[in-house]
């Protein structure tokens, strides 16, 4: 005799059919959450680099404005020139870091999309398994009702 929804203990067939999906779905949800958290970290890092670059640009403009307003000596102009060179190097470093972080961000977005797709597929499989269970339960119930009717 094959196992059907009514030949097993109440709820056992559904539980045996759906429970593996629930455990796997829980793992997929945790993966999505972990990927989202990693994405947030990468975005935060990108924002920090952008903020540092903006701050350096503000400092550079401020020092250039101060030099243009006040009477400056040759030593001050040399210091300003060295600061400009150092700021330009740091801005290039920030740009390189931003590029690296943007590449990481694109990769992480792809991982997040894949994790969400896996979760959605599992949800669809779970719904399909539940629909199959419901169909088998309805058939079994109909068979029992038919037998009861014919036995009268």
């Amino acid at each position: 005799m094959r196992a059907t929804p009514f030949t097993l203990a109440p709820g056992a067939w559904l539980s045996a059919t759906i429970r593996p999906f629930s455990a796997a779905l829980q793992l997929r949800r945790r993966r999505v959450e972990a990927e989202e958290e990693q994405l947030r970290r990468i975005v935060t890092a990108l924002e920090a680099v952008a903020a540092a670059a903006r701050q350096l640009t503000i400092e550079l403009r401020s020092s250039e404005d101060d030099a243009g307003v006040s009477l400056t000596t040759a030593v001050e102009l040399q210091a300003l020139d060295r600061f400009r060179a150092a700021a330009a190097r740091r801005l290039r470093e920030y740009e390189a870091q931003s590029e690296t972080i943007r590449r990481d961000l694109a990769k992480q977005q792809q991982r997040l999309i894949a994790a969400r797709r896996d979760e959605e597929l599992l949800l669809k499989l779970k719904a399909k398994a539940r629909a199959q269970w419901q169909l088998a339960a309805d058939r079994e119930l109909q068979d029992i009702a038919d037998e009861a009717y014919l036995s009268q």
Side-chain angles (χ1 to χ4, degrees):
M1 180 174 176
R2 68 182 177 89
T4 63
F6 294 102
T7 58
L8 295 174
W13 201 75
L14 177 64
S15 181
T17 304
I18 301 299
R19 186 170 290 141
F21 286 106
S22 297
L25 187 58
Q26 189 176 32
L27 290 173
R28 295 298 190 280
R29 284 187 179 138
R30 279 193 219 135
R31 180 176 169 219
V32 167
E33 290 169 2
E35 297 296 351
E36 287 173 342
E37 180 59 32
Q38 182 63 24
L39 185 67
R40 280 191 289 275
R41 282 191 212 114
I42 292 171
V43 168
T44 300
L46 184 60
E47 290 170 349
V49 169
R54 279 191 306 272
Q55 182 61 35
L56 182 59
T57 302
I58 290 168
E59 289 174 15
L60 182 59
R61 286 185 185 144
S62 174
S63 65
E64 288 173 346
D65 290 345
D66 290 346
V69 170
S70 66
L71 298 174
T72 56
T73 65
V75 174
E76 290 173 334
L77 289 175
Q78 287 175 343
L80 179 60
D81 192 43
R82 283 192 303 272
F83 178 69
R84 283 182 188 152
R89 276 192 309 276
R90 280 194 280 172
L91 286 173
R92 284 191 300 273
E93 290 171 5
Y94 289 149
E95 186 57 37
Q97 288 175 353
S98 291
E99 269 310 304
T100 301
I101 293 171
R102 283 188 195 101
R103 281 193 297 275
D104 292 346
L105 182 64
K107 290 176 188 174
Q108 185 60 34
Q109 287 172 332
Q110 291 303 314
R111 284 194 292 270
L112 179 58
I113 289 168
R116 285 180 177 160
R117 185 176 45 241
D118 289 348
E119 182 184 27
E120 289 171 14
L121 283 171
L122 199 55
L123 283 169
K124 288 178 184 177
L125 286 172
K126 183 178 178 182
K128 184 177 178 182
R130 185 162 186 74
Q132 288 173 342
W133 173 85
Q134 188 64 51
L135 184 63
D138 291 346
R139 278 191 203 132
E140 185 75 16
L141 190 57
Q142 185 62 43
D143 289 346
I144 291 171
D146 290 345
E147 287 177 20
Y149 179 75
L150 291 176
S151 69
Q152 290 179 353

